[in-house]
Amino acid sequence: MSIVSLDQLRWGLKELPPLSLYVHVPWCVRKCPYCDFNSHEAKSGFDEMGYVDALLSDLEFDLPKVWGRPVRTIFIGGGTPSLLSAAAIDALLTGIRMRVKLDPEAEITLEANPGTFEAEKFQGFRDAGVNRLSIGIQSFDDRHLKALGRIHDAGQARAAVEIACRLFDRVNLDLMYALPNQTLAEALHDVDTAIGFGVSHVSAYHLTIEPNTLFAVQVPANLPEDDASAEMQEAIEQRLAAAGYEHYETSAFAKPGQRSRHNVNYWQFGDYLGIGAGAHGKLSFHDRIERSMRAKQPAAYLKAVADGAPNQSLHNIDKADLPFEFMMNLLRLTGGFESRLFAERTGLPLIKIEAELKQAEARGLVTRDLATIRPTPLGQRFLNDLLTLFLKEGD
């Protein structure tokens, strides 16, 4: 007979976190040279309704794990989901509503490109039930768009944002800075243009050279030096704050009440079903927390779904890894988190990380009181160094 330790008996989640649904559409017109997401060029088109059917079959695969749990948000990402027709998005969302307990006030986000072809479909997306649009602008400058390998131009970007703002109350614009040959004035011009449209949310990302991308092989010339990049970041944060946007996550800024509910659930270590090629999922149970990843290649994914085995990987998070996994998400929030969330989302007592928290405090990376733990401005700037403190020994 095996012996169960007292620690094992005590561990467990008393309450399950909020649940979201992520849907991945893996195709795009052209792979951007900086992109390390699971995206594939749709050179010969694709069977969109066949893919929608596969997504719904995929969803059914995990339904027994979440019976009765309301889905609070849906995020359709990619790739370029706006390549799908409005009819396909409607069929997808209708099928989801028939299968899950969807919150009547659910936030339903779709990522879109600003090309004319996609922008023409925005009304149809709204009619299908999408109520938040996230547009990958990156820049309003033709020179920088060309350097980033984007297929739209500045005029198409402006036209798409104008249409989106007429149709949707909640619009997010993705911008990038620290681009090749970019000046501080140019970076701020992109931000000022976004502010001028009155969008509810801006995501501002530092261009990062990721492994397994074209930019990793052919690094662009004349990238800004670290000091210049830091100056851009600080100036962007100040400009958005002055315009009434709350800097609530490392790269995210929102008007009051307009934060991305879906992404906040990620950052608060909530649960999410992940369906679609290469989609990741995280589900909590009273005795474990499980991570999954679907098959990545579209053809392999479709076959895996047809075979009734869509997962490429499935594993339980080791208890020793939970503090790092939790902090990796929560410390992205500039306002930090309520201390009680650590135990609620990991099943571990806060004292488990007391030594690490004390070390982070001593280094000026976090501040805390009885109710909250938050990264300091220094901790936000050196987030990777802060997170390293919570890695288990041997990692």
Side-chain angles (χ1 to χ4, degrees), residues 52-173:
V52 169
D53 288 342
L55 288 170
L56 296 176
S57 295
D58 187 357
L59 177 59
E60 290 175 356
F61 178 79
D62 269 349
L63 283 183
K65 297 180 178 181
V66 296
W67 283 129
R69 295 180 63 183
V71 173
R72 308 291 187 185
T73 68
I74 298 173
F75 194 103
I76 306 170
T80 307
S82 55
L83 288 179
L84 295 179
S85 67
I89 295 297
D90 182 61
L92 172 65
L93 292 177
T94 298
I96 290 170
R97 291 186 189 98
M98 292 172 64
R99 288 165 174 81
V100 305
K101 183 181 178 182
L102 186 62
D103 187 323
E105 302 298 321
E107 175 191 87
I108 302 176
T109 305
L110 183 136
E111 286 186 332
N113 268 0
T116 303
F117 172 71
E118 287 93 350
E120 289 176 347
K121 296 183 284 188
F122 286 0
Q123 177 70 57
F125 295 148
R126 181 187 170 186
D127 292 343
V130 174
N131 53 31
R132 186 181 190 111
L133 204 65
S134 182
I135 309 177
I137 296 294
Q138 316 315 345
S139 176
F140 290 99
D141 184 302
D142 282 328
R143 182 168 57 92
H144 295 137
L145 289 170
K146 184 177 180 180
L148 290 172
R150 302 294 289 175
I151 61 172
H152 67 272
D153 60 29
Q156 290 174 317
R158 289 182 172 85
V161 179
E162 288 175 356
I163 296 170
C165 288
R166 285 202 305 267
L167 295 173
F168 295 89
D169 294 330
R170 289 171 282 182
V171 175
N172 175 65
L173 300 188

Side-chain angles (χ1 to χ4, degrees), residues 16-22 69-75 107 248-249 259-274 281-284 291 325-326 328-330 332-333 341 345:
L16 300 180
L19 177 65
S20 294
L21 172 64
Y22 175 74
R69 295 180 63 183
V71 173
R72 308 291 187 185
T73 68
I74 298 173
F75 194 103
E107 175 191 87
Y248 71 100
E249 185 270 343
R259 297 181 180 190
S260 167
R261 288 164 48 197
H262 185 89
N263 287 343
V264 167
N265 192 40
Y266 285 158
W267 297 321
Q268 291 184 338
F269 210 49
D271 278 357
Y272 48 97
L273 284 166
K282 169 192 170 278
L283 291 178
S284 299
R291 283 203 182 277
E325 293 240 5
F326 177 89
M328 183 172 59
N329 289 279
L330 274 291
R332 291 183 64 89
L333 295 170
L341 271 181
R345 300 290 159 90

Side-chain angles (χ1 to χ4, degrees), residues 217-259:
V217 178
Q218 302 173 8
V219 179
N222 301 318
L223 290 171
E225 298 291 337
D226 288 346
D227 287 348
S229 297
E231 186 180 4
M232 285 185 193
Q233 179 180 343
E234 183 176 352
I236 288 169
E237 291 172 359
Q238 291 175 351
R239 189 66 57 92
L240 286 165
Y245 292 82
E246 301 169 339
H247 185 194
Y248 71 100
E249 185 270 343
T250 302
S251 304
F253 306 79
K255 290 287 185 69
Q258 297 294 323
R259 297 181 180 190

Side-chain angles (χ1 to χ4, degrees), residues 230-384:
E231 186 180 4
M232 285 185 193
Q233 179 180 343
E234 183 176 352
I236 288 169
E237 291 172 359
Q238 291 175 351
R239 189 66 57 92
L240 286 165
Y245 292 82
E246 301 169 339
H247 185 194
Y248 71 100
E249 185 270 343
T250 302
S251 304
F253 306 79
K255 290 287 185 69
Q258 297 294 323
R259 297 181 180 190
S260 167
R261 288 164 48 197
H262 185 89
N263 287 343
V264 167
N265 192 40
Y266 285 158
W267 297 321
Q268 291 184 338
F269 210 49
D271 278 357
Y272 48 97
L273 284 166
I275 61 173
H280 291 255
K282 169 192 170 278
L283 291 178
S284 299
F285 304 87
H286 290 292
D287 61 346
R288 70 190 189 281
I289 299 176
E290 179 183 278
R291 283 203 182 277
S292 62
M293 187 184 78
R294 300 312 202 228
K296 291 185 70 172
Q297 293 292 330
Y301 167 76
L302 291 169
K303 183 179 185 306
V305 171
D307 292 343
N311 280 326
Q312 180 173 310
S313 66
L314 179 69
H315 70 277
N316 295 333
I317 303 176
D318 191 298
K319 280 195 294 181
D321 293 325
L322 280 171
F324 175 75
E325 293 240 5
F326 177 89
M327 290 297 188
M328 183 172 59
N329 289 279
L330 274 291
L331 289 177
R332 291 183 64 89
L333 295 170
T334 58
F337 59 94
E338 295 182 36
S339 304
R340 61 175 178 78
L341 271 181
F342 181 79
E344 287 183 10
R345 300 290 159 90
T346 68
L348 300 170
L350 188 61
I351 197 171
K352 185 80 174 176
I353 55 170
E354 180 62 24
E356 291 85 352
L357 287 172
K358 284 184 176 178
Q359 188 177 356
E361 277 187 298
R363 293 172 57 178
L365 300 175
V366 301
T367 182
R368 58 176 172 154
D369 52 34
L370 292 176
T372 59
I373 298 169
R374 61 175 61 87
T376 63
L378 184 66
Q380 293 171 34
R381 184 175 179 184
F382 296 99
L383 184 58
N384 288 339

Side-chain angles (χ1 to χ4, degrees), residues 22 24 26 28 31-32 34-40 77-79 111 138 174 205 210-213 296:
Y22 175 74
H24 192 75
C28 54
K31 181 88 170 181
C32 294
Y34 56 83
C35 177
D36 68 339
F37 295 151
N38 182 40
S39 58
H40 307 266
E111 286 186 332
Q138 316 315 345
D174 284 350
Y205 300 103
E210 301 286 358
N212 303 315
T213 64
K296 291 185 70 172

